[in-house]
Short mmCIF file of all heavy atoms in Angstrom, two decimals:
data_model
loop_
_atom_site.label_atom_id
_atom_site.label_comp_id
_atom_site.label_asym_id
_atom_site.label_seq_id
_atom_site.Cartn_x
_atom_site.Cartn_y
_atom_site.Cartn_z
N MET A 1 -24.91 13.44 -17.56
CA MET A 1 -23.79 13.61 -16.59
C MET A 1 -22.92 14.79 -16.98
O MET A 1 -22.39 14.81 -18.09
CB MET A 1 -22.98 12.32 -16.57
CG MET A 1 -22.00 12.25 -15.41
SD MET A 1 -22.77 11.97 -13.83
CE MET A 1 -23.00 10.19 -13.85
N ALA A 2 -22.75 15.70 -16.07
CA ALA A 2 -21.90 16.87 -16.37
C ALA A 2 -20.45 16.53 -16.38
O ALA A 2 -20.01 15.51 -15.78
CB ALA A 2 -22.19 17.95 -15.29
N TYR A 3 -19.66 17.38 -17.03
CA TYR A 3 -18.19 17.20 -17.05
C TYR A 3 -17.63 17.80 -15.74
O TYR A 3 -18.19 18.71 -15.16
CB TYR A 3 -17.58 17.82 -18.29
CG TYR A 3 -17.65 16.93 -19.51
CD1 TYR A 3 -18.87 16.49 -20.01
CD2 TYR A 3 -16.48 16.48 -20.10
CE1 TYR A 3 -18.93 15.61 -21.10
CE2 TYR A 3 -16.52 15.61 -21.21
CZ TYR A 3 -17.76 15.22 -21.69
OH TYR A 3 -17.81 14.36 -22.78
N VAL A 4 -16.43 17.30 -15.37
CA VAL A 4 -15.80 17.73 -14.14
C VAL A 4 -14.33 18.03 -14.37
O VAL A 4 -13.67 17.35 -15.13
CB VAL A 4 -15.93 16.61 -13.04
CG1 VAL A 4 -15.19 17.00 -11.76
CG2 VAL A 4 -17.38 16.31 -12.75
N ILE A 5 -13.83 19.07 -13.69
CA ILE A 5 -12.42 19.46 -13.81
C ILE A 5 -11.65 18.94 -12.60
O ILE A 5 -12.07 19.15 -11.46
CB ILE A 5 -12.26 20.97 -13.88
CG1 ILE A 5 -13.02 21.53 -15.13
CG2 ILE A 5 -10.78 21.42 -13.86
CD1 ILE A 5 -13.06 23.04 -15.25
N ASN A 6 -10.55 18.25 -12.82
CA ASN A 6 -9.81 17.69 -11.70
C ASN A 6 -8.61 18.58 -11.27
O ASN A 6 -8.44 19.66 -11.84
CB ASN A 6 -9.34 16.27 -12.04
CG ASN A 6 -8.31 16.21 -13.13
OD1 ASN A 6 -7.50 17.08 -13.28
ND2 ASN A 6 -8.37 15.13 -13.94
N ASP A 7 -7.82 18.10 -10.35
CA ASP A 7 -6.73 18.88 -9.76
C ASP A 7 -5.59 19.22 -10.70
O ASP A 7 -4.70 19.99 -10.36
CB ASP A 7 -6.15 18.12 -8.56
CG ASP A 7 -7.10 18.03 -7.39
OD1 ASP A 7 -8.10 18.79 -7.41
OD2 ASP A 7 -6.83 17.26 -6.43
N SER A 8 -5.58 18.60 -11.92
CA SER A 8 -4.54 18.90 -12.86
C SER A 8 -4.65 20.26 -13.50
O SER A 8 -3.73 20.75 -14.17
CB SER A 8 -4.52 17.83 -13.97
OG SER A 8 -4.33 16.56 -13.41
N CYS A 9 -5.83 20.90 -13.35
CA CYS A 9 -6.06 22.22 -13.96
C CYS A 9 -5.00 23.24 -13.63
O CYS A 9 -4.64 23.45 -12.49
CB CYS A 9 -7.43 22.72 -13.48
SG CYS A 9 -7.84 24.41 -14.00
N ILE A 10 -4.48 23.91 -14.68
CA ILE A 10 -3.47 24.98 -14.51
C ILE A 10 -4.05 26.35 -14.68
O ILE A 10 -3.36 27.31 -14.85
CB ILE A 10 -2.29 24.75 -15.47
CG1 ILE A 10 -2.75 24.71 -16.96
CG2 ILE A 10 -1.51 23.44 -15.14
CD1 ILE A 10 -1.60 24.72 -17.99
N SER A 11 -5.38 26.42 -14.70
CA SER A 11 -6.11 27.70 -14.78
C SER A 11 -5.74 28.53 -15.98
O SER A 11 -5.59 29.75 -15.88
CB SER A 11 -5.89 28.50 -13.49
OG SER A 11 -6.43 27.84 -12.37
N CYS A 12 -5.62 27.88 -17.17
CA CYS A 12 -5.31 28.64 -18.37
C CYS A 12 -6.49 29.41 -18.93
O CYS A 12 -6.34 30.38 -19.66
CB CYS A 12 -4.79 27.71 -19.44
SG CYS A 12 -6.02 26.56 -20.09
N GLY A 13 -7.73 28.92 -18.58
CA GLY A 13 -8.91 29.62 -19.04
C GLY A 13 -9.49 29.25 -20.38
O GLY A 13 -10.56 29.73 -20.75
N THR A 14 -8.80 28.37 -21.08
CA THR A 14 -9.25 27.95 -22.41
C THR A 14 -10.67 27.38 -22.40
O THR A 14 -11.52 27.71 -23.22
CB THR A 14 -8.32 26.91 -23.01
OG1 THR A 14 -7.00 27.48 -23.07
CG2 THR A 14 -8.74 26.51 -24.42
N CYS A 15 -10.94 26.52 -21.44
CA CYS A 15 -12.24 25.84 -21.41
C CYS A 15 -13.37 26.82 -21.20
O CYS A 15 -14.43 26.73 -21.82
CB CYS A 15 -12.26 24.81 -20.29
SG CYS A 15 -11.83 25.46 -18.63
N ALA A 16 -13.18 27.81 -20.31
CA ALA A 16 -14.23 28.76 -20.02
C ALA A 16 -14.59 29.57 -21.25
O ALA A 16 -15.75 29.87 -21.50
CB ALA A 16 -13.77 29.69 -18.88
N GLY A 17 -13.62 29.92 -22.08
CA GLY A 17 -13.87 30.68 -23.30
C GLY A 17 -14.56 29.92 -24.36
O GLY A 17 -15.21 30.54 -25.24
N ASN A 18 -14.51 28.59 -24.31
CA ASN A 18 -15.10 27.74 -25.37
C ASN A 18 -16.39 27.09 -25.01
O ASN A 18 -17.04 26.50 -25.85
CB ASN A 18 -14.09 26.66 -25.77
CG ASN A 18 -12.90 27.22 -26.56
OD1 ASN A 18 -13.07 28.18 -27.31
ND2 ASN A 18 -11.74 26.67 -26.41
N CYS A 19 -16.84 27.21 -23.78
CA CYS A 19 -18.07 26.54 -23.36
C CYS A 19 -19.30 27.28 -23.92
O CYS A 19 -19.46 28.49 -23.73
CB CYS A 19 -18.20 26.52 -21.84
SG CYS A 19 -19.74 25.78 -21.30
N PRO A 20 -20.16 26.59 -24.72
CA PRO A 20 -21.30 27.22 -25.35
C PRO A 20 -22.39 27.72 -24.44
O PRO A 20 -23.21 28.55 -24.85
CB PRO A 20 -21.81 26.13 -26.30
CG PRO A 20 -21.44 24.85 -25.62
CD PRO A 20 -20.08 25.12 -24.98
N VAL A 21 -22.38 27.21 -23.20
CA VAL A 21 -23.44 27.62 -22.27
C VAL A 21 -22.88 28.39 -21.06
O VAL A 21 -23.54 28.56 -20.04
CB VAL A 21 -24.27 26.43 -21.78
CG1 VAL A 21 -25.08 25.85 -22.96
CG2 VAL A 21 -23.43 25.38 -21.11
N ASP A 22 -21.59 28.79 -21.14
CA ASP A 22 -20.93 29.57 -20.09
C ASP A 22 -21.03 28.92 -18.73
O ASP A 22 -21.36 29.58 -17.76
CB ASP A 22 -21.60 30.96 -20.05
CG ASP A 22 -20.67 32.01 -19.44
OD1 ASP A 22 -19.45 31.80 -19.45
OD2 ASP A 22 -21.17 33.06 -18.99
N ALA A 23 -20.75 27.59 -18.71
CA ALA A 23 -20.89 26.84 -17.47
C ALA A 23 -19.61 26.80 -16.64
O ALA A 23 -19.58 26.26 -15.54
CB ALA A 23 -21.31 25.41 -17.79
N ILE A 24 -18.49 27.35 -17.23
CA ILE A 24 -17.18 27.24 -16.54
C ILE A 24 -16.72 28.62 -16.05
O ILE A 24 -16.76 29.58 -16.76
CB ILE A 24 -16.15 26.64 -17.51
CG1 ILE A 24 -16.67 25.36 -18.16
CG2 ILE A 24 -14.85 26.36 -16.74
CD1 ILE A 24 -15.71 24.76 -19.19
N SER A 25 -16.26 28.61 -14.77
CA SER A 25 -15.75 29.86 -14.22
C SER A 25 -14.55 29.56 -13.33
O SER A 25 -14.27 28.42 -12.98
CB SER A 25 -16.90 30.52 -13.38
OG SER A 25 -17.27 29.62 -12.32
N GLN A 26 -13.83 30.63 -13.02
CA GLN A 26 -12.68 30.49 -12.17
C GLN A 26 -13.08 30.34 -10.71
O GLN A 26 -13.73 31.19 -10.12
CB GLN A 26 -11.75 31.72 -12.33
CG GLN A 26 -10.42 31.54 -11.63
CD GLN A 26 -9.32 32.42 -12.25
OE1 GLN A 26 -9.60 33.42 -12.90
NE2 GLN A 26 -8.07 32.06 -12.04
N GLY A 27 -12.68 29.19 -10.13
CA GLY A 27 -13.03 28.96 -8.75
C GLY A 27 -11.85 29.19 -7.84
O GLY A 27 -10.93 29.94 -8.21
N ASP A 28 -11.82 28.58 -6.72
CA ASP A 28 -10.78 28.73 -5.72
C ASP A 28 -9.61 27.87 -6.04
O ASP A 28 -9.58 26.68 -5.70
CB ASP A 28 -11.33 28.44 -4.32
CG ASP A 28 -10.35 28.74 -3.21
OD1 ASP A 28 -9.39 29.47 -3.47
OD2 ASP A 28 -10.55 28.24 -2.09
N GLY A 29 -8.61 28.39 -6.77
CA GLY A 29 -7.42 27.62 -7.11
C GLY A 29 -7.47 26.95 -8.45
O GLY A 29 -6.40 26.61 -9.00
N GLN A 30 -8.61 26.69 -9.02
CA GLN A 30 -8.74 26.14 -10.33
C GLN A 30 -10.10 26.44 -10.91
O GLN A 30 -10.95 26.99 -10.24
CB GLN A 30 -8.53 24.62 -10.30
CG GLN A 30 -9.67 23.90 -9.56
CD GLN A 30 -9.46 22.39 -9.62
OE1 GLN A 30 -8.53 21.81 -9.09
NE2 GLN A 30 -10.40 21.68 -10.28
N PHE A 31 -10.31 26.15 -12.20
CA PHE A 31 -11.58 26.41 -12.83
C PHE A 31 -12.59 25.33 -12.43
O PHE A 31 -12.23 24.19 -12.14
CB PHE A 31 -11.44 26.52 -14.34
CG PHE A 31 -10.97 27.87 -14.79
CD1 PHE A 31 -9.73 28.37 -14.41
CD2 PHE A 31 -11.79 28.67 -15.56
CE1 PHE A 31 -9.32 29.64 -14.81
CE2 PHE A 31 -11.39 29.93 -15.98
CZ PHE A 31 -10.15 30.43 -15.60
N VAL A 32 -13.84 25.66 -12.45
CA VAL A 32 -14.90 24.71 -12.05
C VAL A 32 -16.10 24.77 -13.05
O VAL A 32 -16.34 25.81 -13.69
CB VAL A 32 -15.47 25.05 -10.61
CG1 VAL A 32 -14.40 24.77 -9.59
CG2 VAL A 32 -15.96 26.48 -10.53
N ILE A 33 -16.78 23.63 -13.18
CA ILE A 33 -17.92 23.51 -14.06
C ILE A 33 -19.20 23.49 -13.25
O ILE A 33 -19.32 22.71 -12.28
CB ILE A 33 -17.81 22.27 -14.93
CG1 ILE A 33 -16.62 22.34 -15.85
CG2 ILE A 33 -19.11 22.03 -15.69
CD1 ILE A 33 -16.32 21.07 -16.66
N ASP A 34 -20.14 24.32 -13.61
CA ASP A 34 -21.47 24.32 -12.96
C ASP A 34 -22.30 23.18 -13.57
O ASP A 34 -22.71 23.21 -14.72
CB ASP A 34 -22.16 25.64 -13.26
CG ASP A 34 -23.53 25.79 -12.55
OD1 ASP A 34 -24.09 24.74 -12.19
OD2 ASP A 34 -23.98 26.94 -12.37
N ALA A 35 -22.48 22.11 -12.77
CA ALA A 35 -23.15 20.93 -13.23
C ALA A 35 -24.58 21.19 -13.69
O ALA A 35 -25.14 20.46 -14.52
CB ALA A 35 -23.18 19.86 -12.15
N ASP A 36 -25.20 22.23 -13.17
CA ASP A 36 -26.56 22.54 -13.56
C ASP A 36 -26.67 23.21 -14.92
O ASP A 36 -27.71 23.16 -15.59
CB ASP A 36 -27.21 23.49 -12.50
CG ASP A 36 -27.44 22.78 -11.16
OD1 ASP A 36 -27.65 21.54 -11.16
OD2 ASP A 36 -27.38 23.46 -10.13
N LYS A 37 -25.56 23.80 -15.34
CA LYS A 37 -25.54 24.44 -16.70
C LYS A 37 -24.97 23.54 -17.79
O LYS A 37 -25.37 23.64 -18.95
CB LYS A 37 -24.68 25.75 -16.61
CG LYS A 37 -25.32 26.88 -15.85
CD LYS A 37 -24.39 28.14 -15.98
CE LYS A 37 -25.00 29.32 -15.24
NZ LYS A 37 -24.06 30.46 -15.31
N CYS A 38 -24.01 22.71 -17.44
CA CYS A 38 -23.30 21.86 -18.41
C CYS A 38 -24.25 20.97 -19.19
O CYS A 38 -25.07 20.25 -18.62
CB CYS A 38 -22.26 21.03 -17.67
SG CYS A 38 -21.36 19.88 -18.73
N ILE A 39 -24.13 20.98 -20.53
CA ILE A 39 -24.94 20.10 -21.41
C ILE A 39 -24.15 18.94 -21.94
O ILE A 39 -24.55 18.28 -22.87
CB ILE A 39 -25.55 20.94 -22.55
CG1 ILE A 39 -24.46 21.61 -23.41
CG2 ILE A 39 -26.55 21.98 -22.01
CD1 ILE A 39 -24.97 22.28 -24.68
N SER A 40 -22.99 18.72 -21.37
CA SER A 40 -22.10 17.55 -21.72
C SER A 40 -21.74 17.48 -23.17
O SER A 40 -21.77 16.41 -23.77
CB SER A 40 -22.78 16.26 -21.25
OG SER A 40 -22.94 16.26 -19.85
N CYS A 41 -21.39 18.63 -23.78
CA CYS A 41 -21.05 18.64 -25.20
C CYS A 41 -19.63 18.12 -25.43
O CYS A 41 -19.26 17.67 -26.51
CB CYS A 41 -21.14 20.05 -25.74
SG CYS A 41 -19.92 21.20 -25.08
N GLY A 42 -18.74 18.16 -24.39
CA GLY A 42 -17.39 17.63 -24.51
C GLY A 42 -16.35 18.61 -25.05
O GLY A 42 -15.18 18.25 -25.10
N THR A 43 -16.79 19.79 -25.45
CA THR A 43 -15.84 20.74 -26.05
C THR A 43 -14.68 21.06 -25.10
O THR A 43 -13.51 21.10 -25.50
CB THR A 43 -16.57 22.07 -26.41
OG1 THR A 43 -17.63 21.76 -27.31
CG2 THR A 43 -15.61 23.05 -27.06
N CYS A 44 -14.98 21.29 -23.86
CA CYS A 44 -13.93 21.66 -22.90
C CYS A 44 -12.89 20.57 -22.75
O CYS A 44 -11.70 20.83 -22.69
CB CYS A 44 -14.56 22.00 -21.54
SG CYS A 44 -15.61 20.71 -20.86
N ALA A 45 -13.34 19.32 -22.65
CA ALA A 45 -12.44 18.21 -22.52
C ALA A 45 -11.48 18.10 -23.70
O ALA A 45 -10.31 17.80 -23.55
CB ALA A 45 -13.21 16.91 -22.32
N GLY A 46 -11.99 18.36 -24.88
CA GLY A 46 -11.17 18.27 -26.06
C GLY A 46 -10.16 19.39 -26.22
O GLY A 46 -9.14 19.26 -26.92
N ASN A 47 -10.37 20.53 -25.54
CA ASN A 47 -9.49 21.68 -25.64
C ASN A 47 -8.56 21.88 -24.50
O ASN A 47 -7.66 22.72 -24.55
CB ASN A 47 -10.34 22.98 -25.82
CG ASN A 47 -11.02 23.01 -27.16
OD1 ASN A 47 -10.53 22.48 -28.14
ND2 ASN A 47 -12.14 23.68 -27.25
N CYS A 48 -8.71 21.14 -23.41
CA CYS A 48 -7.85 21.37 -22.23
C CYS A 48 -6.44 20.83 -22.53
O CYS A 48 -6.28 19.69 -22.87
CB CYS A 48 -8.46 20.62 -21.04
SG CYS A 48 -7.38 20.78 -19.56
N PRO A 49 -5.43 21.71 -22.36
CA PRO A 49 -4.03 21.32 -22.69
C PRO A 49 -3.44 20.28 -21.78
O PRO A 49 -2.43 19.63 -22.11
CB PRO A 49 -3.27 22.67 -22.60
CG PRO A 49 -4.08 23.46 -21.64
CD PRO A 49 -5.51 23.07 -21.91
N VAL A 50 -4.01 20.09 -20.60
CA VAL A 50 -3.46 19.13 -19.66
C VAL A 50 -4.40 17.94 -19.37
O VAL A 50 -4.16 17.18 -18.47
CB VAL A 50 -3.06 19.83 -18.30
CG1 VAL A 50 -1.93 20.79 -18.54
CG2 VAL A 50 -4.25 20.51 -17.66
N GLY A 51 -5.47 17.86 -20.12
CA GLY A 51 -6.39 16.72 -19.94
C GLY A 51 -7.04 16.66 -18.61
O GLY A 51 -7.27 15.58 -18.05
N ALA A 52 -7.37 17.84 -18.05
CA ALA A 52 -7.95 17.91 -16.71
C ALA A 52 -9.42 17.74 -16.64
O ALA A 52 -10.03 17.72 -15.52
CB ALA A 52 -7.56 19.23 -16.06
N ILE A 53 -10.09 17.59 -17.78
CA ILE A 53 -11.58 17.52 -17.78
C ILE A 53 -12.06 16.18 -18.33
O ILE A 53 -11.64 15.69 -19.35
CB ILE A 53 -12.17 18.64 -18.67
CG1 ILE A 53 -11.50 19.99 -18.29
CG2 ILE A 53 -13.68 18.73 -18.44
CD1 ILE A 53 -11.99 21.16 -19.14
N ALA A 54 -13.00 15.57 -17.59
CA ALA A 54 -13.62 14.34 -18.02
C ALA A 54 -15.08 14.30 -17.59
O ALA A 54 -15.53 15.05 -16.73
CB ALA A 54 -12.89 13.13 -17.38
N GLU A 55 -15.84 13.39 -18.22
CA GLU A 55 -17.24 13.26 -17.86
C GLU A 55 -17.30 12.72 -16.41
O GLU A 55 -16.66 11.73 -16.10
CB GLU A 55 -17.98 12.36 -18.84
CG GLU A 55 -19.47 12.55 -18.84
CD GLU A 55 -20.10 12.02 -20.11
OE1 GLU A 55 -19.44 11.34 -20.89
OE2 GLU A 55 -21.28 12.37 -20.33
N GLY A 56 -18.09 13.38 -15.57
CA GLY A 56 -18.12 12.97 -14.15
C GLY A 56 -19.06 11.83 -13.87
O GLY A 56 -19.76 11.36 -14.71
S1 LIG B 101 -19.03 19.71 -21.58
FE1 LIG B 101 -19.66 21.44 -22.92
S2 LIG B 101 -21.35 22.43 -21.79
FE2 LIG B 101 -20.23 21.17 -20.30
S3 LIG B 101 -18.72 22.54 -19.35
FE3 LIG B 101 -17.73 21.49 -21.10
S4 LIG B 101 -17.95 22.89 -22.84
FE4 LIG B 101 -19.44 23.51 -21.26
S1 LIG B 102 -8.60 24.24 -20.14
FE1 LIG B 102 -7.94 22.75 -18.62
S2 LIG B 102 -6.17 23.68 -17.60
FE2 LIG B 102 -7.24 25.30 -18.72
S3 LIG B 102 -8.62 26.26 -17.14
FE3 LIG B 102 -9.79 24.64 -18.23
S4 LIG B 102 -9.53 22.78 -17.01
FE4 LIG B 102 -7.97 24.23 -16.39
#
């Protein structure tokens, strides 16, 4: 199950810089995770300052 970013995202970009498979990019209004690339490592969820990322 891929991780998902919710509406709490403040677009800081931290998650995108730490994803080992480059699955996170800036979308329309907030960052988004490409479910086809995500390997569910959990790194992004642990680094998000506002807790906007969880396993979907
Ligand atoms: S869980 Fe891991 S692989 Fe998936 S988006 Fe987050 S950092 Fe990238
Ligand atoms: S680390 Fe959290 S707040 Fe920052 S861009 Fe990623 S999801 Fe958004």
Side-chain angles (χ1 to χ4, degrees):
M1 191 73 82
Y3 276 62
V4 177
I5 299 174
N6 67 34
D7 291 347
S8 301
C9 173
I10 56 172
S11 297
C12 69
T14 301
C15 56
N18 289 326
C19 178
V21 295
D22 204 21
I24 310 176
S25 60
Q26 188 156 21
D28 187 16
Q30 67 176 65
F31 277 64
V32 292
I33 294 174
D34 183 338
D36 291 330
K37 288 184 180 177
C38 177
I39 57 172
S40 299
C41 69
T43 302
C44 55
N47 289 332
C48 178
V50 295
I53 312 177
E55 200 159 13

